[in-house]
Amino acid sequence: MTAAAGTARTPLPRARRRLVVPGLLLAVLAAVLLSVTVGAKPVSPGDVWHALWSPDGGESDIIVRGLRVPRTLLGLLAGPALGVAGALAQGHTRNPLADPGLLGVTQGAAFATVLSIVLFRLDGVYGYIWFGLAGALIAGGAVFAIGLAGGRGGPTPVTLALAGTAVSALLYALTSTVVLLDQQAMDVFRFWQIGSIAGRDAAIAGQVLPFVAAGLILAFANARGLDALALGDDVARGLGRRVPLTRTVGLASITLLTGAAVAACGALAFVGLIVPHLARALAGADHRRLLLYSALTGAALLLLADVLGRVVARPGELEVGVVLALLGAPFFVVLIRRGRAVRL
């Protein structure tokens, strides 16, 4: 369950480290530009500028303002949210294979979404986004409560991981049972489960923005404590850290970030798993840098995967959840074979 080796990755030299943030910001900027210009109908940067600042209702204006800007904004929220949540989940469980789904949050959102479809016949993301968010928060709280009951002095990495696995398995079984009994729920849930940032307008991004912002604030407030926990709970206590409080803040951040992203976009696999490993290769053991790099890497990765899905299946497109799964699985296998994904 724990990392296979406790050796911390050596950070980049200071001179090269200064180039990381500007480099990642340029990658995010390039991804944003591609996201608003590339698609079934290419739009030039000049037309994008015209659509943003002096729209006249033309076709390019409708495409940019009505379709591409909203999904780009959602990618800029969901990518950092899942990347940072993944880094926190791996740090708090000391498990290099952990992602936000390990703590039951994703399945909590899924089960609540299915219930909203079956009980209230909601059929759009506007209807069930709040159910998904509530389900994620309740499931995250349940995992923490179970983990708290199973560990003396607060939840431990093992009790959190076990509680998350048990809650996820239970919610997955309940979700599967409900969708098998209701054809409409199965049809709607199947699309939500794939994961997508298409078909949402800017209002969806506005609804989840407060939760993502709160989750990111808690995450960076949790970074110092997570540095201490990486040395072991006893050492952290010796350094004056309040371990239960640190874990509470960490789990609250994971729940807010994952719940908001999953409720708005569906279950986007692999972002929370891969991004922390990419960021850790640049950040070393410092969680403040790791969280910052994970946020920027997550934004760039999600937007670029979404753009790739539009290009490879023209005139249609692949949902970003499918692209992430197709790219993420082999990439993660390569990381494991090189021994880069088993050290925290």
Side-chain angles (χ1 to χ4, degrees), residues 92 102-105 136-151 153-165 167-168 222 229 242-255:
H92 278 283
L102 179 69
L103 299 177
V105 180
L137 296 175
I138 293 172
V143 168
F144 181 79
I146 296 172
L148 185 64
T156 66
V158 173
T159 58
L160 279 177
L162 291 176
T165 302
V167 170
S168 291
N222 196 227
L229 288 179
R242 298 168 63 183
V243 174
L245 177 61
T246 302
R247 295 215 184 281
T248 301
V249 173
L251 191 58
S253 175
I254 295 169
T255 302

Side-chain angles (χ1 to χ4, degrees), residues 3-190:
T7 305
R9 195 179 294 277
T10 302
L12 293 175
R14 182 183 297 272
R16 295 178 61 185
R17 196 189 311 155
R18 290 174 178 169
L19 301 177
V20 173
V21 172
L24 291 176
L25 286 173
L26 285 176
V28 173
L29 183 61
V32 168
L33 184 60
L34 290 173
S35 182
V36 295
T37 57
V38 176
K41 177 179 173 52
V43 180
S44 68
D47 288 339
V48 171
W49 182 267
H50 179 274
L52 293 177
W53 301 109
S54 55
D56 56 12
E59 183 181 13
S60 296
D61 297 349
I62 295 173
I63 292 173
V64 171
R65 296 175 68 90
L67 300 176
R68 294 185 185 171
V69 168
R71 69 194 293 177
T72 302
L73 291 175
L74 202 53
L76 288 174
L77 288 175
L82 293 173
V84 170
L88 290 175
Q90 292 176 10
H92 278 283
T93 61
R94 297 178 196 163
N95 184 346
L97 300 180
D99 68 0
L102 179 69
L103 299 177
V105 180
T106 303
Q107 289 302 332
F111 183 59
T113 300
V114 167
L115 285 184
S116 73
I117 297 169
V118 173
L119 298 179
F120 303 104
R121 293 299 167 187
L122 302 177
D123 59 358
V125 66
Y126 300 100
Y128 50 69
I129 182 173
W130 294 106
F131 285 90
L133 186 56
L137 296 175
I138 293 172
V143 168
F144 181 79
I146 296 172
L148 185 64
R152 295 179 179 179
T156 66
V158 173
T159 58
L160 279 177
L162 291 176
T165 302
V167 170
S168 291
L170 173 62
L171 292 173
Y172 177 78
L174 293 174
T175 302
S176 299
T177 301
V178 173
V179 298
L180 286 174
L181 297 175
D182 190 294
Q183 185 62 42
Q184 180 184 348
M186 176 177 286
D187 293 340
V188 178
F189 179 71
R190 187 167 48 195

